[in-house]
Amino acid sequence: MNTKHTIPSDEDLTAFIDGELTAEEAARIEALVSEDEHVAERLEFLARASLPFKQAFAPQLAEAPRQKLETMLAAIPAQQRAKSASALTFASRRRFLGALAASIIAGIAIDRAVIGIGARLSVKDENSEWRSVVADYISLYTPETLAGPVPAKEAQAAQLGPLDEKLGLSLSPEAVALPGIDFKRALLLQYDGKPLAQIAYLDPETGPMALCIVTSDAGPKAPDLESRKGMNVIYWSNATHAFMLIGRIPADRMKELGEDVRRRLSA
């Protein structure tokens, strides 16, 4: 690994979290975390995220060139390994990161589920938190990520089936269709130990989009619009699920699409 004092890659930070660095390399990351607010924030994000980035990009591994993949997928973490550790609580982010660094250097790998406990204790709006994680994830997508033919309706229905089973929904190709925008694939991911449905689309003008759904007991919420990672997000919830539609389509159009798919999912 490069030992110069440069901003570490997500791969380096994930290796740090997973305890895969030498003591010297880990000490370098620890020093950068103490000196650079951006590095500290990125390490905290990678520590708490549980979305399977590698699984989501698996269809592209056999087709894309290595150099291009390394650019596109720089934030994919290494495969999570089973680890054991004591549950820790942290009064602040600095104390959290300091304890994490110390435990890694000592050779103690902290399970990401335990890290997630500390993150959730500081989260005031759980629904906002999951949207932040998804936005970071979707920002990795490019049109090439979703290249290929549009699946037939039968294939779409087959992909949506496992999502229905895990989330207790009844999704159909017609219910999740976005007019003028191609359905590309449906994936079952995970956030904070809960199933997360991601339906990916490709808009010919603005690129990748996604409709994401997670179980939620936060209660009904009317649609609202926000911006994350340079993308527009319309989000809402009902009694059992939270929804978000995200992409680079202009805000007015995003709102129209979100309202339309919300009506169909509520029917």
Side-chain angles (χ1 to χ4, degrees):
M1 189 181 72
N2 190 351
T3 58
K4 293 182 179 180
H5 292 289
T6 56
I7 299 300
S9 67
D10 283 2
E11 181 180 4
D12 292 339
L13 293 175
T14 303
F16 175 79
I17 294 168
D18 288 341
E20 297 174 349
L21 300 182
T22 65
E24 180 181 356
E25 292 168 339
R28 185 183 76 88
I29 297 294
E30 181 186 10
L32 288 171
V33 167
S34 299
E35 297 168 0
D36 192 315
E37 182 77 12
H38 296 296
V39 175
E41 290 177 351
R42 189 60 183 169
L43 178 64
E44 182 180 6
F45 165 74
L46 290 172
R48 69 171 179 261
S50 61
L51 290 173
F53 293 91
K54 188 171 184 179
Q55 174 188 346
F57 282 93
Q60 282 69 51
L61 292 176
E63 301 177 4
R66 180 180 180 84
Q67 183 176 2
K68 189 170 186 179
L69 274 177
E70 289 176 348
T71 300
M72 290 169 55
L73 312 183
I76 297 180
Q79 183 179 4
Q80 183 175 355
R81 294 174 173 82
K83 304 176 182 72
S84 62
S86 298
L88 303 177
T89 57
F90 306 94
S92 67
R93 184 201 318 152
R94 289 302 183 187
R95 290 180 60 197
F96 165 78
L97 293 173
L100 174 61
S103 66
I104 292 294
I105 293 172
I108 303 172
I110 298 178
D111 192 288
R112 286 185 184 173
V114 177
I115 296 170
I117 293 173
R120 289 195 298 275
L121 290 175
S122 65
V123 173
K124 295 181 180 179
D125 182 352
E126 181 181 351
N127 282 332
S128 176
E129 180 69 10
W130 85 275
R131 296 196 305 273
S132 177
V133 173
V134 169
D136 272 279
Y137 176 58
I138 299 301
S139 69
L140 302 177
Y141 279 13
T142 70
E144 289 78 12
T145 306
L146 301 174
V150 176
K153 288 293 178 65
E154 294 79 8
Q156 294 181 28
Q159 291 182 30
L160 292 169
L163 278 58
D164 287 349
E165 181 180 349
K166 289 291 186 179
L167 277 86
L169 292 169
S170 181
L171 302 174
S172 67
E174 292 75 20
V176 300
L178 301 180
I181 299 171
D182 292 337
F183 176 107
K184 285 297 184 174
R185 67 187 186 212
L187 293 172
L188 182 63
L189 307 177
Q190 179 175 291
Y191 169 73
D192 199 23
K194 299 183 293 187
L196 187 153
Q198 182 212 99
I199 303 161
Y201 309 84
L202 186 60
D203 176 57
E205 296 182 0
T206 62
M209 295 184 62
L211 172 65
C212 297
I213 309 168
V214 67
T215 56
S216 172
D217 57 4
K221 177 177 176 56
D224 203 354
L225 191 70
E226 66 182 2
S227 178
R228 292 183 181 270
K229 306 293 288 187
M231 296 172 286
N232 287 312
V233 181
I234 183 169
Y235 61 96
W236 68 96
S237 61
N238 58 25
T240 55
H241 296 85
F243 305 79
M244 65 180 287
L245 182 65
I246 181 170
R248 292 180 173 82
I249 282 182
D252 289 347
R253 177 62 175 152
M254 180 66 76
K255 186 174 181 180
E256 292 176 1
L257 291 169
E259 292 280 9
D260 181 48
V261 73
R262 184 176 77 94
R263 284 193 295 270
R264 282 185 273 117
L265 290 173
S266 300

Tab-separated table of all heavy atoms in Angstrom, residues 10-50:
chain	number	residue	atom	x	y	z
A	10	ASP	N	-11.237	4.168	-0.284
A	10	ASP	CA	-12.227	3.415	0.489
A	10	ASP	C	-11.746	1.982	0.720
A	10	ASP	O	-12.045	1.374	1.752
A	10	ASP	CB	-13.573	3.405	-0.241
A	10	ASP	CG	-14.311	4.716	-0.085
A	10	ASP	OD1	-13.758	5.629	0.547
A	10	ASP	OD2	-15.438	4.819	-0.598
A	11	GLU	N	-10.992	1.436	-0.243
A	11	GLU	CA	-10.458	0.086	-0.071
A	11	GLU	C	-9.508	0.038	1.125
A	11	GLU	O	-9.544	-0.894	1.932
A	11	GLU	CB	-9.732	-0.345	-1.339
A	11	GLU	CG	-9.167	-1.766	-1.264
A	11	GLU	CD	-8.444	-2.149	-2.539
A	11	GLU	OE1	-8.328	-1.299	-3.434
A	11	GLU	OE2	-7.975	-3.292	-2.627
A	12	ASP	N	-8.644	1.075	1.243
A	12	ASP	CA	-7.726	1.140	2.379
A	12	ASP	C	-8.492	1.265	3.696
A	12	ASP	O	-8.165	0.606	4.690
A	12	ASP	CB	-6.776	2.335	2.234
A	12	ASP	CG	-5.802	2.173	1.083
A	12	ASP	OD1	-5.577	1.022	0.658
A	12	ASP	OD2	-5.285	3.194	0.593
A	13	LEU	N	-9.511	2.154	3.706
A	13	LEU	CA	-10.278	2.366	4.937
A	13	LEU	C	-11.033	1.102	5.337
A	13	LEU	O	-11.130	0.773	6.525
A	13	LEU	CB	-11.243	3.540	4.756
A	13	LEU	CG	-10.587	4.920	4.585
A	13	LEU	CD1	-11.642	5.976	4.295
A	13	LEU	CD2	-9.780	5.306	5.827
A	14	THR	N	-11.569	0.386	4.350
A	14	THR	CA	-12.294	-0.843	4.662
A	14	THR	C	-11.345	-1.917	5.176
A	14	THR	O	-11.678	-2.659	6.105
A	14	THR	CB	-13.036	-1.343	3.407
A	14	THR	OG1	-13.906	-0.322	2.939
A	14	THR	CG2	-13.860	-2.573	3.732
A	15	ALA	N	-10.147	-1.990	4.586
A	15	ALA	CA	-9.155	-2.933	5.088
A	15	ALA	C	-8.767	-2.591	6.531
A	15	ALA	O	-8.540	-3.471	7.360
A	15	ALA	CB	-7.915	-2.907	4.188
A	16	PHE	N	-8.719	-1.287	6.835
A	16	PHE	CA	-8.452	-0.835	8.206
A	16	PHE	C	-9.545	-1.329	9.149
A	16	PHE	O	-9.276	-1.868	10.220
A	16	PHE	CB	-8.364	0.691	8.205
A	16	PHE	CG	-8.205	1.316	9.573
A	16	PHE	CD1	-6.981	1.348	10.204
A	16	PHE	CD2	-9.289	1.890	10.222
A	16	PHE	CE1	-6.825	1.924	11.459
A	16	PHE	CE2	-9.153	2.473	11.464
A	16	PHE	CZ	-7.916	2.493	12.088
A	17	ILE	N	-10.807	-1.145	8.740
A	17	ILE	CA	-11.941	-1.577	9.569
A	17	ILE	C	-11.916	-3.088	9.768
A	17	ILE	O	-12.190	-3.590	10.858
A	17	ILE	CB	-13.269	-1.144	8.909
A	17	ILE	CG1	-13.385	0.386	8.908
A	17	ILE	CG2	-14.460	-1.764	9.631
A	17	ILE	CD1	-14.506	0.907	8.038
A	18	ASP	N	-11.567	-3.836	8.710
A	18	ASP	CA	-11.590	-5.292	8.773
A	18	ASP	C	-10.344	-5.888	9.424
A	18	ASP	O	-10.210	-7.098	9.522
A	18	ASP	CB	-11.733	-5.872	7.366
A	18	ASP	CG	-13.135	-5.656	6.805
A	18	ASP	OD1	-14.050	-5.395	7.603
A	18	ASP	OD2	-13.318	-5.752	5.582
A	19	GLY	N	-9.392	-5.032	9.853
A	19	GLY	CA	-8.202	-5.539	10.514
A	19	GLY	C	-7.231	-6.236	9.592
A	19	GLY	O	-6.515	-7.154	10.001
A	20	GLU	N	-7.187	-5.805	8.320
A	20	GLU	CA	-6.352	-6.462	7.323
A	20	GLU	C	-5.055	-5.722	7.042
A	20	GLU	O	-4.292	-6.111	6.160
A	20	GLU	CB	-7.149	-6.631	6.024
A	20	GLU	CG	-8.368	-7.526	6.184
A	20	GLU	CD	-9.236	-7.578	4.939
A	20	GLU	OE1	-8.995	-6.752	4.030
A	20	GLU	OE2	-10.127	-8.435	4.866
A	21	LEU	N	-4.778	-4.632	7.749
A	21	LEU	CA	-3.567	-3.857	7.521
A	21	LEU	C	-2.479	-4.255	8.517
A	21	LEU	O	-2.754	-4.770	9.602
A	21	LEU	CB	-3.862	-2.359	7.671
A	21	LEU	CG	-4.895	-1.758	6.722
A	21	LEU	CD1	-5.029	-0.260	6.983
A	21	LEU	CD2	-4.540	-2.004	5.267
A	22	THR	N	-1.243	-3.967	8.136
A	22	THR	CA	-0.150	-4.136	9.083
A	22	THR	C	-0.246	-3.040	10.141
A	22	THR	O	-0.971	-2.055	9.982
A	22	THR	CB	1.205	-4.034	8.368
A	22	THR	OG1	1.358	-2.697	7.852
A	22	THR	CG2	1.302	-5.036	7.227
A	23	ALA	N	0.511	-3.204	11.229
A	23	ALA	CA	0.492	-2.195	12.296
A	23	ALA	C	0.932	-0.839	11.761
A	23	ALA	O	0.375	0.198	12.134
A	23	ALA	CB	1.398	-2.642	13.440
A	24	GLU	N	1.920	-0.834	10.873
A	24	GLU	CA	2.408	0.434	10.309
A	24	GLU	C	1.343	1.105	9.448
A	24	GLU	O	1.113	2.317	9.542
A	24	GLU	CB	3.663	0.171	9.475
A	24	GLU	CG	4.253	1.437	8.841
A	24	GLU	CD	5.478	1.135	7.990
A	24	GLU	OE1	5.901	-0.041	7.956
A	24	GLU	OE2	6.000	2.069	7.352
A	25	GLU	N	0.684	0.308	8.604
A	25	GLU	CA	-0.357	0.858	7.733
A	25	GLU	C	-1.537	1.355	8.551
A	25	GLU	O	-2.119	2.413	8.268
A	25	GLU	CB	-0.805	-0.207	6.731
A	25	GLU	CG	0.260	-0.558	5.709
A	25	GLU	CD	-0.093	-1.803	4.921
A	25	GLU	OE1	-0.925	-2.614	5.407
A	25	GLU	OE2	0.453	-1.987	3.819
A	26	ALA	N	-1.924	0.598	9.580
A	26	ALA	CA	-3.033	1.006	10.438
A	26	ALA	C	-2.710	2.296	11.176
A	26	ALA	O	-3.576	3.166	11.350
A	26	ALA	CB	-3.374	-0.116	11.427
A	27	ALA	N	-1.461	2.438	11.609
A	27	ALA	CA	-1.056	3.654	12.304
A	27	ALA	C	-1.138	4.861	11.377
A	27	ALA	O	-1.498	5.970	11.799
A	27	ALA	CB	0.365	3.494	12.840
A	28	ARG	N	-0.828	4.660	10.096
A	28	ARG	CA	-0.922	5.767	9.134
A	28	ARG	C	-2.375	6.220	8.974
A	28	ARG	O	-2.674	7.413	8.966
A	28	ARG	CB	-0.374	5.335	7.772
A	28	ARG	CG	-0.314	6.462	6.746
A	28	ARG	CD	0.174	5.951	5.410
A	28	ARG	NE	-0.851	5.215	4.696
A	28	ARG	CZ	-1.745	5.779	3.880
A	28	ARG	NH1	-1.740	7.097	3.699
A	28	ARG	NH2	-2.634	5.045	3.256
A	29	ILE	N	-3.279	5.247	8.869
A	29	ILE	CA	-4.698	5.585	8.742
A	29	ILE	C	-5.178	6.294	10.002
A	29	ILE	O	-5.914	7.283	9.947
A	29	ILE	CB	-5.540	4.319	8.486
A	29	ILE	CG1	-5.138	3.667	7.153
A	29	ILE	CG2	-7.031	4.653	8.497
A	29	ILE	CD1	-5.455	4.479	5.933
A	30	GLU	N	-4.764	5.800	11.161
A	30	GLU	CA	-5.178	6.413	12.427
A	30	GLU	C	-4.738	7.878	12.479
A	30	GLU	O	-5.504	8.757	12.909
A	30	GLU	CB	-4.576	5.647	13.602
A	30	GLU	CG	-4.968	6.206	14.962
A	30	GLU	CD	-4.235	5.525	16.100
A	30	GLU	OE1	-3.296	4.770	15.819
A	30	GLU	OE2	-4.618	5.760	17.252
A	31	ALA	N	-3.511	8.153	12.015
A	31	ALA	CA	-3.019	9.530	12.022
A	31	ALA	C	-3.832	10.410	11.086
A	31	ALA	O	-4.183	11.552	11.416
A	31	ALA	CB	-1.538	9.554	11.623
A	32	LEU	N	-4.189	9.882	9.912
A	32	LEU	CA	-4.984	10.651	8.958
A	32	LEU	C	-6.384	10.928	9.501
A	32	LEU	O	-6.951	12.007	9.280
A	32	LEU	CB	-5.073	9.900	7.622
A	32	LEU	CG	-3.787	9.864	6.790
A	32	LEU	CD1	-3.936	8.920	5.607
A	32	LEU	CD2	-3.422	11.262	6.307
A	33	VAL	N	-6.945	9.957	10.218
A	33	VAL	CA	-8.268	10.145	10.822
A	33	VAL	C	-8.229	11.289	11.833
A	33	VAL	O	-9.157	12.104	11.919
A	33	VAL	CB	-8.732	8.834	11.486
A	33	VAL	CG1	-9.940	9.085	12.381
A	33	VAL	CG2	-9.085	7.803	10.422
A	34	SER	N	-7.154	11.370	12.583
A	34	SER	CA	-7.026	12.421	13.596
A	34	SER	C	-6.824	13.795	12.974
A	34	SER	O	-7.246	14.809	13.533
A	34	SER	CB	-5.840	12.104	14.518
A	34	SER	OG	-6.041	10.880	15.176
A	35	GLU	N	-6.188	13.833	11.789
A	35	GLU	CA	-5.823	15.112	11.175
A	35	GLU	C	-6.855	15.638	10.190
A	35	GLU	O	-6.950	16.846	9.979
A	35	GLU	CB	-4.483	14.953	10.442
A	35	GLU	CG	-3.320	14.599	11.353
A	35	GLU	CD	-2.088	14.176	10.568
A	35	GLU	OE1	-2.158	14.173	9.317
A	35	GLU	OE2	-1.062	13.849	11.198
A	36	ASP	N	-7.611	14.755	9.577
A	36	ASP	CA	-8.464	15.152	8.454
A	36	ASP	C	-9.920	14.799	8.741
A	36	ASP	O	-10.278	13.626	8.863
A	36	ASP	CB	-7.984	14.449	7.174
A	36	ASP	CG	-8.619	15.023	5.912
A	36	ASP	OD1	-9.847	15.245	5.914
A	36	ASP	OD2	-7.896	15.243	4.932
A	37	GLU	N	-10.767	15.819	8.830
A	37	GLU	CA	-12.190	15.620	9.122
A	37	GLU	C	-12.877	14.772	8.061
A	37	GLU	O	-13.725	13.932	8.356
A	37	GLU	CB	-12.871	16.990	9.220
A	37	GLU	CG	-14.362	16.928	9.563
A	37	GLU	CD	-14.606	16.642	11.031
A	37	GLU	OE1	-13.647	16.724	11.815
A	37	GLU	OE2	-15.756	16.330	11.372
A	38	HIS	N	-12.492	14.977	6.793
A	38	HIS	CA	-13.132	14.226	5.703
A	38	HIS	C	-12.795	12.737	5.792
A	38	HIS	O	-13.651	11.884	5.548
A	38	HIS	CB	-12.690	14.790	4.352
A	38	HIS	CG	-13.122	16.197	4.123
A	38	HIS	ND1	-14.449	16.561	4.025
A	38	HIS	CD2	-12.408	17.340	3.981
A	38	HIS	CE1	-14.539	17.872	3.829
A	38	HIS	NE2	-13.313	18.368	3.800
A	39	VAL	N	-11.562	12.422	6.121
A	39	VAL	CA	-11.181	11.026	6.281
A	39	VAL	C	-11.940	10.406	7.450
A	39	VAL	O	-12.432	9.280	7.368
A	39	VAL	CB	-9.661	10.900	6.494
A	39	VAL	CG1	-9.285	9.442	6.783
A	39	VAL	CG2	-8.904	11.409	5.275
A	40	ALA	N	-12.078	11.149	8.547
A	40	ALA	CA	-12.806	10.647	9.715
A	40	ALA	C	-14.266	10.354	9.370
A	40	ALA	O	-14.816	9.315	9.747
A	40	ALA	CB	-12.724	11.670	10.852
A	41	GLU	N	-14.891	11.279	8.634
A	41	GLU	CA	-16.300	11.088	8.267
A	41	GLU	C	-16.468	9.897	7.331
A	41	GLU	O	-17.420	9.120	7.451
A	41	GLU	CB	-16.832	12.363	7.615
A	41	GLU	CG	-16.985	13.527	8.596
A	41	GLU	CD	-17.453	14.791	7.900
A	41	GLU	OE1	-17.500	14.808	6.651
A	41	GLU	OE2	-17.751	15.771	8.611
A	42	ARG	N	-15.519	9.736	6.391
A	42	ARG	CA	-15.639	8.627	5.453
A	42	ARG	C	-15.438	7.287	6.163
A	42	ARG	O	-16.137	6.319	5.891
A	42	ARG	CB	-14.605	8.780	4.328
A	42	ARG	CG	-14.809	7.784	3.175
A	42	ARG	CD	-16.156	7.965	2.536
A	42	ARG	NE	-16.405	6.991	1.486
A	42	ARG	CZ	-17.583	6.803	0.914
A	42	ARG	NH1	-18.626	7.531	1.290
A	42	ARG	NH2	-17.726	5.907	-0.041
A	43	LEU	N	-14.503	7.246	7.112
A	43	LEU	CA	-14.288	6.021	7.876
A	43	LEU	C	-15.527	5.663	8.681
A	43	LEU	O	-15.942	4.504	8.730
A	43	LEU	CB	-13.085	6.191	8.799
A	43	LEU	CG	-12.780	4.976	9.703
A	43	LEU	CD1	-12.409	3.770	8.868
A	43	LEU	CD2	-11.672	5.311	10.682
A	44	GLU	N	-16.157	6.672	9.276
A	44	GLU	CA	-17.366	6.420	10.072
A	44	GLU	C	-18.478	5.877	9.180
A	44	GLU	O	-19.188	4.940	9.548
A	44	GLU	CB	-17.819	7.701	10.758
A	44	GLU	CG	-19.039	7.498	11.653
A	44	GLU	CD	-19.493	8.781	12.335
A	44	GLU	OE1	-18.923	9.852	12.018
A	44	GLU	OE2	-20.401	8.712	13.161
A	45	PHE	N	-18.621	6.454	7.971
A	45	PHE	CA	-19.659	5.972	7.055
A	45	PHE	C	-19.424	4.519	6.659
A	45	PHE	O	-20.320	3.679	6.711
A	45	PHE	CB	-19.709	6.851	5.803
A	45	PHE	CG	-20.476	6.213	4.675
A	45	PHE	CD1	-21.854	6.140	4.721
A	45	PHE	CD2	-19.806	5.641	3.593
A	45	PHE	CE1	-22.565	5.517	3.706
A	45	PHE	CE2	-20.512	5.025	2.589
A	45	PHE	CZ	-21.892	4.960	2.650
A	46	LEU	N	-18.190	4.189	6.264
A	46	LEU	CA	-17.879	2.835	5.834
A	46	LEU	C	-18.044	1.840	6.974
A	46	LEU	O	-18.431	0.691	6.751
A	46	LEU	CB	-16.452	2.776	5.285
A	46	LEU	CG	-16.223	3.495	3.949
A	46	LEU	CD1	-14.741	3.526	3.618
A	46	LEU	CD2	-17.013	2.856	2.826
A	47	ALA	N	-17.778	2.288	8.206
A	47	ALA	CA	-17.912	1.403	9.347
A	47	ALA	C	-19.357	1.031	9.615
A	47	ALA	O	-19.670	-0.081	10.012
A	47	ALA	CB	-17.316	2.066	10.595
A	48	ARG	N	-20.265	1.986	9.394
A	48	ARG	CA	-21.669	1.703	9.738
A	48	ARG	C	-22.470	1.131	8.583
A	48	ARG	O	-23.532	0.562	8.784
A	48	ARG	CB	-22.358	2.960	10.257
A	48	ARG	CG	-22.585	4.045	9.215
A	48	ARG	CD	-23.480	5.162	9.774
A	48	ARG	NE	-23.678	6.217	8.804
A	48	ARG	CZ	-23.034	7.348	8.774
A	48	ARG	NH1	-22.102	7.586	9.678
A	48	ARG	NH2	-23.279	8.266	7.860
A	49	ALA	N	-22.013	1.305	7.356
A	49	ALA	CA	-22.782	0.817	6.208
A	49	ALA	C	-22.748	-0.694	6.163
A	49	ALA	O	-21.732	-1.314	6.411
A	49	ALA	CB	-22.218	1.393	4.916
A	50	SER	N	-23.884	-1.320	5.841
A	50	SER	CA	-23.932	-2.778	5.731
A	50	SER	C	-24.471	-3.228	4.388
A	50	SER	O	-24.792	-4.387	4.201
A	50	SER	CB	-24.798	-3.367	6.846
A	50	SER	OG	-26.125	-2.881	6.761
